[in-house]
Amino acid sequence: MALNRLEPVRLSWLDPLILLGAIALLFLGLGDYPLYEPHEGHFAGVAREMLLRGDWLTPYLNGAPYLNKPPLLYWAIAVSYKVFGINEFAARLPLALGGGWGVFMVWQWGRELGSAVTGRVAALMLASACGWFIFTHQLLIDLLLSSLLLTAYYCLWKITLVPRNWLYRLGFWLLLGLIILAKGPFMLVFPAIALLVLSVIYSPGRIWQGLAPGFGIPLLLLLVLPWAIAIERANPGFWQYFIANENLERLADRRYPPDYAVSQISALGYIGITLVWALPWSLVLPQTLVHTWASLQQSRQEQASGLILLAIAALLPVVLFLPFSSRLIYYSLPSLPPLMLLTALWWTGGQARRGVATAGGRTLAAVTLIAVAVVVVLALWQLPTALNLEFPQLESLKMPIALSFSIGAALAGGLLLRQQPLASWLTLLLGMAIAYYFIIQGFVAFAEMRSSQSLITQAEAELPESTIWVFEGSRELGAAGAMSFYLNPEGERFPQFPTLDPGWVWGQGDRAYRIVYVLTDAGESRKLPAFPGPTPPYHLSAEELQRFWESNFPVVFVTDFLRDDNDAEDPLTRNLPNNPGEPLLVIGSRHLYGNPAARWNSNP
């Protein structure tokens, strides 16, 4: 026997207004700054080469197969390029849409599990959560994965309520397939644990009857197997490499090369960064936990199953990765949507299904907003100094970020005390939008540190198209991919002869595009990936670099921007060719050197 179905909540004119406003916040400044390297260069570069090569099966980066991720995000970005052209906005658009879908889902689930107001509050909380905003503006799979997981949990919850509904059954299995295509089959451990817990609580027979695995498993295989078989045929050894090196070895912190070290974090830091991603709403986490526990004791069965799923969804990304030293700072992102929804349920806990917030509940929410305003000002003012995280680029932005959010939160709290909830939330949203505008300016300010765009733009204005570009290398190949991206975003040339100049590879048909050579022997911290298949065309030894350097070809050499300046065994001069001369350009930590054929009359 299925759980009772919750009655639908009537849609108000406020809902689309608040929902669209919350989602619009995620699109703020999406294309205002260049690709951050190496991670954004990786995803944006692979999607670009899909178009240049006309190959939507094998991911290519810098002219060679790049076989460390499934294709879903690559496909989404490539489609976006097709519509909007190859640029930063188009590259980040799929993640913003994925973030917007997550906002929609917490709105929908909040309406059904709590009230109409719960849905509105949940949407605003998720859109304004620090991590959700930041990672809609940074190309990584985990935010897209977060929205897919949340939707799968929602479908699983609906199956417990209406097990005969084919829409949720179909949606659940399709979402499992998309999760595999987004980040691989190991991510199914999250919905599998949730399913196991629900089965123990609510009878395995009833849950599995609703899931209809006899229908769902073939559907899942139909979605995933064609790609899985095709990628292995095109790249023999892909699955062994992907499962062993990119999953099991990564989990054990033995992945080759260990290019994720820059994002690794301690166990205590992992918990701390999760709270940072949930700011400002993590400041009311204790109240949320107490309310969730109390609600589980008092809720009807259909509500309790939703609360259990949300609690599992919020805890798993933290608990599962906590024992592993390979945990990265963004692995806890899937916790944000369920955590924001539970926080919204606490925030609106004084409301009946059809009622309005009680005076006591409204007063508590208002006081919380005002307290959050004070805490944020103090945190942004003093926390960077206390943690030795001072950045000159952010010094002028620190107080505008703190004040815009805090004034918005304080005014929102005052309006809530005056029984004006709509004006309160709109004021808060406006304050958050202004704060996040300044955060975007922070991304712009850091661009010279984390992007090669400026260096390439200035150098390309002085160099001929025949210039050979060589990169010292860094912890990830995505940096070279970003350089190739900016050398020629549209990436096409129609060679007049059957052979290509050095630094070019064939694309689709008779077209060619530029790549960046990368040193293969530049030090332990710059190991190149060893994907199955032939040697990539971008491989270049120090000896080969020297031959190019002494040739008549114009050649430029760019140093590693992620070099550890405190490592005495890795000086800036370590991998320079003989007779490098003075750098032609120095932008941030990148130094660009040129051989005699490439030098121009400029001041470094």
Side-chain angles (χ1 to χ4, degrees):
M1 180 178 168
L3 302 178
N4 295 326
R5 185 176 181 178
L6 295 174
E7 295 181 5
V9 179
R10 180 176 297 178
L11 190 69
S12 163
W13 65 270
L14 279 176
D15 291 289
L17 176 66
I18 291 176
L19 191 58
L20 289 174
I23 293 174
L25 180 64
L26 301 178
F27 286 79
L28 185 67
L30 210 57
D32 287 359
Y33 52 95
L35 298 174
Y36 270 40
E37 299 167 15
H39 55 285
E40 290 202 295
H42 158 202
F43 290 102
V46 167
R48 165 180 164 269
E49 294 192 42
M50 278 186 168
L51 296 186
L52 298 181
R53 305 182 72 92
D55 186 347
W56 292 67
L57 175 62
T58 300
Y60 276 76
L61 185 64
N62 202 31
Y66 196 71
L67 303 172
N68 71 337
K69 301 292 182 193
L72 185 61
L73 184 54
Y74 300 145
W75 288 344
I77 297 171
V79 170
S80 181
Y81 286 159
K82 281 283 234 182
V83 177
F84 298 101
I86 299 175
N87 54 66
E88 293 90 350
F89 171 82
R92 297 186 184 111
L93 179 61
L95 277 190
L97 292 173
W101 178 254
V103 170
F104 172 81
M105 285 308 305
V106 296
W107 170 79
Q108 177 64 25
W109 203 344
R111 285 164 50 81
E112 296 186 39
L113 194 58
S115 66
V117 180
T118 303
R120 297 165 196 160
V121 171
L124 290 169
M125 282 183 169
L126 182 59
S128 61
C130 174
W132 204 249
F133 180 86
I134 286 174
F135 286 100
T136 54
H137 291 73
Q138 292 289 301
L139 285 175
L140 289 163
I141 296 173
D142 297 76
L143 185 128
L144 177 61
L145 175 68
S146 303
S147 292
L148 292 174
L149 283 171
L150 179 73
T151 312
Y153 293 134
Y154 173 78
C155 288
L156 184 56
W157 177 60
K158 295 295 285 188
I159 287 170
T160 67
L161 304 183
V162 280
R164 297 179 184 273
N165 190 308
W166 279 88
L167 176 63
Y168 301 116
R169 185 180 294 171
L170 177 67
F172 179 76
W173 291 104
L174 287 177
L175 284 159
L176 294 189
L178 292 176
I179 288 167
I180 293 173
L181 292 175
K183 203 159 183 178
F186 285 89
M187 292 301 102
L188 295 186
V189 68
F190 293 103
I193 291 175
L195 180 59
L196 178 63
V197 173
L198 281 186
S199 298
V200 169
I201 296 174
Y202 295 114
S203 164
R206 186 166 64 192
I207 298 295
W208 282 100
Q209 181 184 7
L211 287 173
F215 157 80
I217 292 175
L219 177 64
L220 172 63
L221 295 176
L222 184 64
L223 182 63
V224 174
L225 273 185
W227 165 76
I229 294 171
I231 189 71
E232 178 64 28
R233 284 181 175 176
N235 304 274
F238 166 80
W239 279 108
Q240 179 181 356
Y241 177 87
F242 178 73
I243 291 175
N245 192 66
E246 296 298 319
N247 288 273
L248 298 178
E249 294 296 321
R250 182 185 287 272
L251 198 62
D253 206 8
R254 296 196 301 264
R255 187 232 192 212
Y256 177 90
D259 56 9
Y260 50 83
V262 69
S263 299
Q264 276 184 281
I265 196 167
S266 67
L268 186 59
Y270 186 62
I271 295 173
I273 201 68
T274 303
L275 297 177
V276 170
W277 299 148
L279 283 173
W281 313 115
S282 53
L283 297 173
V284 294
L285 181 60
Q287 297 95 313
T288 299
L289 296 177
V290 170
H291 177 266
T292 301
W293 178 255
S295 298
L296 280 171
Q297 315 304 311
Q298 303 167 8
S299 296
R300 292 177 295 169
Q301 205 174 30
E302 65 272 19
Q303 290 174 318
S305 63
L307 291 172
I308 290 169
L309 267 175
L310 289 173
I312 293 169
L315 286 173
L316 280 181
V318 178
V319 172
L320 287 185
F321 288 114
L322 204 58
F324 297 100
S325 60
S326 57
R327 70 191 82 79
L328 303 184
I329 60 173
Y330 43 80
Y331 278 2
S332 61
L333 277 179
S335 292
L336 283 186
L339 184 58
M340 293 301 99
L341 189 42
L342 290 172
T343 305
L345 286 165
W346 161 74
W347 194 279
T348 58
Q351 300 174 38
R353 289 278 294 160
R354 297 185 301 274
V356 183
T358 63
R362 187 184 297 117
T363 300
L364 180 58
V367 170
T368 301
L369 276 173
I370 294 169
V372 164
V374 174
V375 169
V376 167
V377 168
L378 294 175
L380 277 179
W381 192 359
Q382 295 295 333
L383 194 59
T385 303
L387 297 178
N388 196 26
L389 296 175
E390 290 290 336
F391 297 106
Q393 295 88 345
L394 291 184
E395 197 60 37
S396 62
L397 298 173
K398 195 166 56 173
M399 287 313 295
I401 292 171
L403 289 175
S404 53
F405 171 74
S406 297
I407 291 172
L411 289 175
L415 288 168
L416 203 57
L417 286 174
R418 295 176 64 85
Q419 301 184 20
Q420 298 181 45
L422 176 60
S424 170
W425 278 107
L426 291 178
T427 301
L428 179 62
L429 186 63
L430 178 61
M432 294 296 294
I434 295 171
Y436 284 135
Y437 165 80
F438 286 111
I439 287 179
I440 293 296
Q441 301 316 300
F443 285 142
V444 174
F446 268 103
E448 287 195 351
M449 293 177 61
R450 294 305 301 265
S451 175
S452 59
Q453 182 206 42
S454 179
L455 178 106
I456 289 173
T457 301
Q458 292 185 47
E460 280 283 272
E462 306 287 345
L463 295 169
E465 189 186 55
S466 59
T467 301
I468 297 171
W469 283 74
V470 183
F471 179 44
E472 183 179 12
S474 72
R475 294 187 183 97
E476 293 187 42
L477 189 63
M483 291 174 66
S484 175
F485 182 101
Y486 283 118
L487 281 172
N488 52 338
E490 300 297 333
E492 297 181 324
R493 189 172 81 170
F494 296 86
Q496 301 297 313
F497 304 100
T499 58
L500 289 174
D501 291 336
W504 290 79
V505 295
W506 290 109
Q508 187 175 24
D510 58 352
R511 295 179 295 180
Y513 64 97
R514 298 173 78 175
I515 63 169
V516 175
Y517 288 110
V518 185
L519 287 185
T520 57
D521 46 5
E524 186 70 17
S525 63
R526 301 181 188 91
K527 289 181 178 178
L528 294 173
F531 297 123
T535 301
Y538 56 77
H539 277 207
L540 193 75
S541 68
E543 182 181 347
E544 291 169 321
L545 167 61
Q546 192 61 43
R547 285 201 296 268
F548 272 139
W549 199 259
E550 295 170 357
S551 72
N552 292 325
F553 281 108
V555 182
V556 293
F557 180 84
V558 181
T559 60
D560 180 7
F561 72 103
L562 288 176
R563 169 176 269 103
D564 183 359
D565 294 331
N566 297 318
D567 186 355
E569 297 182 0
D570 190 32
L572 181 65
T573 58
R574 173 176 179 172
N575 294 305
L576 293 180
N578 296 332
N579 303 314
E582 293 298 314
L584 300 178
L585 279 176
V586 178
I587 297 181
S589 57
R590 292 173 174 83
H591 292 63
L592 182 141
Y593 295 83
N595 73 342
R599 290 178 187 156
W600 67 87
N601 295 323
S602 66
N603 294 317

